[in-house]
Amino acid sequence: MGIVSTPIIAQEVKGSIPAGSKNPTIMPVVVAVPKELAPGEQRVATVPEVVQKLTKSGHEVRIEHDAGTRAYYPDDLFTAAGAKIASSRTELLDGARIVLRVQPPTAAEVDQLAEGTIVIGFMNPAHNLEAVARMRDRKVTAFALELVPRITRAQSMDALSSQATAGGYVAAVMGAYNCPKFFPMLMTAAGTIRPATVLILGAGVAGLMAIATAKRLGAIVEAYDVRRAAGEQVRSLGAKFLELEINAEGQGGYARELTSEEKEKEQQMVSAAVARADIVITTAAIPGRKAPVLITRETVAIMRPGAVIIDMAAESGGNCELTQAGKTIREQGVMIIGPQNLPARIPFHTSQMYAKNLQSFLSLLVDKEGALVQEFTDEILIASLLVHEGNVCHVPTRDLLIRGKL
Ligand code: NAD
């Protein structure tokens, strides 16, 4: 993907000087935040603290009525921070230049956007091809936060990490809540309680947070990851790292797919660890591919009665063969939970973190004068640009669209 040189024209003021704008010749950029309509989504793309900063920088921020209510940011807090509350989607989007979202827009939502609108949020493009095609056809510009490169300079914009951190925390708490045992060791007048054993499969961002949370609750924690580099991080959290003679670190710090021989070795070691665990939290993922199966039906059969599996990879196929996304099933005394959208369960803080990620991303799109940048030359913008001026810029998504004849 090359540098996009098409200019993004700042809107010139005709007549009055807008309040708040640093440069009187530049109209404030109108930033709109719709209410998320996806089932179960409780987060909102901005929070009052960030609105205050944006309005102070001269932008106009509009929030759709009730957009933050489910994350415990009521309209009046947004108003106090300087936002305008829009009573309808039409009012929200009228003249809006930038739209901030959590979930990808549906094709119907894209139809409400004017040509040239910039939408920023998670786009999950491989699973939203129809909406991507509609953004292309309507000449909407879309930045996908999943595509933000994991370079040091982009850390403050890394929404995948901020939300995965929350997911890992919620998974550990969910495990504790559903486990018939205490997590910590207890020495009481009613006897001594042995601590629970928690196994984390996949020690990326979510897995490390699950490890830290389970440790804080007092459990014995073991973890495994195909990337050997994860071992040091696991041990630094006080957990035991399960070693296998495999190093599957691939490009960009992500895992590569294992060979069939490696998979068998891994399977044996993982099965033994699963069998001795009270709670297993699985987070193993390979970007763009179906999640690897780490817990087979046979392994579930040898687990302890009362054991709980929280399969964080449920939405991408599951790390347990028996997982059903969005459901809890019971198999031979083992509870298998396939949660969806765990970050939405603590929407107050996940919205806050997400809003800060977006604020940071916006700083690349708006110059010091408060005007939209003329060209997307920053490497972070180039990498995360999904659709622009009728073109799908992300090659894998473009290929999927061609294959799907969209
Ligand atoms: P992810 O969600 O893609 O995967 C989760 C974990 O599953 C990864 O650690 C992966 O190695 C592991 N995994 C994959 N297949 C496995 C298997 N068969 N068995 C066991 N584990 C398996 O990963 P993520 O949490 O998004 O992070 C991926 C990497 O990116 C990590 O190294 C992380 O530290 C790094 N990262 C870097 C930055 C940065 O530099 N800004 C930011 C975030 C993450």
Side-chain angles (χ1 to χ4, degrees):
M1 191 196 324
I3 290 174
V4 176
S5 58
T6 315
I8 303 293
I9 309 295
Q11 300 160 32
E12 294 296 324
V13 175
K14 294 182 185 78
S16 65
I17 295 170
S21 180
K22 286 182 184 171
N23 182 336
T25 63
I26 295 169
M27 278 283 274
V29 176
V30 177
V31 179
V33 181
K35 181 175 172 173
E36 298 291 324
L37 300 177
E41 187 52 78
Q42 310 211 68
R43 291 168 292 176
V44 59
T46 199
V47 297
E49 185 191 340
V50 171
V51 167
Q52 206 164 22
K53 299 217 166 82
L54 293 176
T55 50
K56 228 175 159 182
S57 309
H59 306 306
E60 178 185 327
V61 183
R62 284 188 212 149
I63 310 282
E64 188 172 356
H65 166 57
D66 257 355
T69 309
R70 283 169 301 170
Y72 300 92
Y73 298 101
D75 286 352
D76 56 352
L77 287 186
F78 280 113
T79 311
K84 293 180 180 163
I85 303 297
S87 57
S88 68
R89 188 61 72 95
T90 317
E91 189 185 325
L92 176 83
L93 297 173
D94 182 27
R97 198 71 180 81
I98 296 179
V99 175
L100 304 180
R101 307 186 51 96
V102 178
Q103 294 286 347
T106 60
E109 285 180 312
V110 174
D111 286 344
Q112 300 167 333
L113 302 173
E115 183 177 324
T117 308
I118 299 171
V119 192
I120 312 167
F122 285 128
M123 295 289 160
N124 198 2
H127 296 101
N128 287 294
L129 292 174
E130 202 193 328
V132 175
R134 200 68 66 91
M135 289 194 278
R136 175 197 62 202
D137 297 344
R138 288 188 68 82
K139 295 196 168 63
V140 164
T141 295
F143 287 100
L145 293 181
E146 301 89 332
L147 301 178
V148 168
R150 283 179 147 178
I151 54 174
T152 307
R153 194 166 64 85
Q155 266 177 4
S156 61
M157 306 160 202
D158 187 351
L160 273 184
S161 287
S162 70
Q163 305 304 295
T165 298
Y169 167 82
V170 176
V173 172
M174 196 180 257
Y177 179 73
N178 286 290
C179 178
K181 298 182 176 180
F182 280 111
F183 264 34
M185 187 178 96
L186 295 180
M187 293 172 89
T188 77
T192 300
I193 306 285
R194 287 165 61 89
T197 300
V198 178
L199 172 68
I200 315 285
L201 298 177
V205 179
L208 290 171
M209 187 61 181
I211 293 169
T213 307
K215 277 299 289 181
R216 284 177 192 137
L217 287 171
I220 294 173
V221 184
E222 297 187 338
Y224 167 65
D225 196 294
V226 273
R227 290 179 302 108
R228 225 180 268 164
E232 205 180 307
Q233 291 167 305
V234 167
R235 284 187 286 268
S236 76
L237 291 168
K240 181 181 171 194
F241 187 64
L242 304 173
E243 299 276 1
L244 192 71
E245 295 304 303
I246 292 174
N247 186 10
E249 187 152 338
Q251 277 187 337
Y254 289 105
R256 66 163 169 83
E257 200 164 18
L258 299 183
T259 64
S260 49
E261 198 186 322
E262 286 173 336
K263 275 184 188 157
E264 203 180 312
K265 274 194 190 167
E266 175 186 67
Q267 196 59 65
Q268 285 167 5
M269 187 195 69
V270 167
S271 295
V274 170
R276 60 178 180 261
D278 296 301
I279 293 105
V280 183
I281 297 171
T282 68
T283 77
I286 302 164
R289 306 194 73 125
K290 188 186 167 300
V293 171
L294 302 175
I295 307 176
T296 59
R297 181 185 291 275
E298 291 74 30
T299 306
V300 172
I302 58 166
M303 287 180 78
R304 291 176 170 175
V308 181
I309 297 173
I310 314 278
D311 192 343
M312 287 188 68
E315 283 164 299
S316 54
N319 290 142
C320 173
E321 202 179 340
L322 300 174
T323 298
Q324 290 181 32
K327 293 198 174 137
T328 295
I329 60 163
R330 284 178 180 76
E331 185 79 19
Q332 306 193 43
V334 176
M335 185 187 280
I336 304 164
I337 304 176
Q340 288 174 309
N341 200 355
L342 284 178
R345 301 208 183 198
I346 48 167
F348 183 88
H349 276 140
T350 45
S351 298
Q352 181 186 317
M353 293 164 97
Y354 187 82
K356 293 251 174 89
N357 294 144
L358 281 180
Q359 181 194 348
S360 195
F361 189 90
L362 274 179
S363 70
L364 302 176
L365 274 177
V366 180
D367 67 19
K368 287 193 189 101
E369 298 289 318
L372 281 169
V373 292
Q374 300 282 311
E375 291 180 355
F376 301 148
T377 50
D378 188 288
E379 63 174 319
I380 299 170
L381 294 181
I382 293 168
S384 55
L385 188 63
L386 178 65
V387 185
H388 185 51
E389 296 204 316
N391 297 308
V392 176
C393 312
H394 182 238
V395 176
T397 306
R398 194 194 302 153
D399 291 347
L400 285 174
L401 286 166
I402 293 168
R403 247 181 275 155
K405 296 189 169 59
L406 282 167

